[in-house]
Amino acid sequence: MRAVAGTSSLTEQVIEAVREAIHSGELRPGELYSVYRLAEQLNVSRTPVREAMLRLAEAGLVRFERSRGFRVLRRDPREIAEVFHLRLLLEVPATRRAARHAGPGLARALREELEAMRAAAADHDEPRFIRHDRAFHDAILAAGANRRLAEVVAGLRDATVTLGASTVDRSRSLADVAAEHEPILAALLGGDPDAAAVAMRAHVTHTGELLVAQAAAENGRPADPADIALIHDAADESTT
């Protein structure tokens, strides 16, 4: 496992290093690992490792075992489906509202974020891409003028990130993800609330479906139709 280095907090760096190790198979589901040994491997003190493990445990990615260490858990497809169920119920109507109140400032911000996403995709820089992807969605939520809703959606996105759930280079490329934002931007620029809502619904639904299927495959089984149905039900409800 690589030692941590960079400008972000040590806790964030440990979280990212652990997620990478889980994805690569270096840390395997069901195996017992030592916090002390992990700190040595990452060349950091035990404090940021403990903090990182607590956050990963809250997200359901690891489980602490008293006086023994921690175990990596398999990602639960149902949990991912529930996150996207909520995102659809909140984010799609918020996009419709944003389209009704969109001004030149929102249009300019979204264009800039989408261009930055395309540039990051061309450089295959996933962390930079994710920052601009998030900023794109945040700008739309802010335009909806409901701060509490924006905070809830941010928490749902954080949960997905902490779980390490990503479709990049597994079921679609960064360029593919950027392309899914183009109809959203076009609808908002055209002042079409319904088209904006439909485009956001398609993007979030597709992401949820792919992540549920990936998590199910990691558990050695196909996606549960009930999990996919939960996402589709929310998609239908969000645009009625």
Side-chain angles (χ1 to χ4, degrees):
M1 192 183 304
R2 64 175 176 82
V4 300
T7 58
S8 59
S9 75
L10 282 176
T11 299
E12 294 292 341
Q13 292 179 60
V14 171
I15 289 173
E16 181 60 27
V18 170
R19 285 202 304 250
E20 288 180 2
I22 292 171
H23 291 162
S24 69
E26 188 176 354
L27 294 178
R28 293 176 293 180
E31 296 288 333
L32 185 66
Y33 295 97
S34 164
V35 169
Y36 303 99
R37 176 61 179 155
L38 183 60
E40 290 177 1
Q41 287 181 288
L42 297 175
N43 195 30
V44 296
S45 70
R46 293 190 293 269
T47 298
V49 174
R50 288 197 192 96
E51 292 173 351
M53 290 301 103
L54 285 171
R55 285 178 54 182
L56 291 169
E58 290 173 357
L61 199 58
V62 303
R63 181 181 66 234
F64 277 107
E65 298 199 2
R66 188 175 181 84
S67 302
R68 299 183 66 198
F70 67 92
R71 291 187 192 276
V72 176
L73 303 177
R74 296 188 185 277
R75 284 183 295 196
D76 184 356
R78 184 67 178 188
E79 184 175 358
I80 294 172
E82 289 172 352
V83 166
F84 279 86
H85 178 95
L86 290 171
R87 277 193 63 184
L88 284 159
L89 292 176
L90 296 172
E91 203 163 353
V92 174
T95 301
R96 181 184 288 108
R97 177 175 171 79
R100 293 192 182 114
H101 302 282
L106 176 62
R108 182 170 56 253
L110 294 180
R111 283 196 189 96
E112 290 174 356
E113 296 303 339
L114 183 53
E115 283 303 314
M117 288 164 65
R118 291 171 178 145
D123 294 338
H124 203 72
D125 187 337
E126 184 176 358
R128 177 158 55 101
F129 182 94
I130 290 173
R131 287 196 300 273
H132 291 293
D133 182 338
R134 182 159 193 155
F136 183 98
H137 286 261
D138 286 348
I140 294 172
L141 292 170
N146 187 327
R147 180 176 55 83
R148 185 64 61 85
L149 183 149
E151 291 173 352
V152 171
V153 173
L156 294 170
R157 289 177 64 95
D158 285 343
T160 306
V161 171
T162 304
L163 281 169
S166 173
T167 62
V168 174
D169 288 339
R170 300 185 65 183
S171 48
R172 59 182 175 176
S173 67
L174 291 175
D176 293 333
V177 179
E180 290 185 14
H181 291 74
E182 293 171 3
I184 302 171
L185 175 59
L188 285 163
L189 293 178
D192 189 334
D194 289 337
V198 167
M200 181 62 78
R201 179 186 65 180
H203 168 53
V204 176
T205 298
H206 188 220
T207 301
E209 289 172 339
L210 292 176
L211 289 176
V212 165
Q214 286 177 191
E218 290 169 4
N219 286 286
R221 62 176 187 265
D224 188 333
D227 294 339
I228 300 299
L230 184 65
I231 295 173
H232 289 175
D233 288 347
D236 293 340
E237 293 168 17
S238 66
T239 52
T240 56

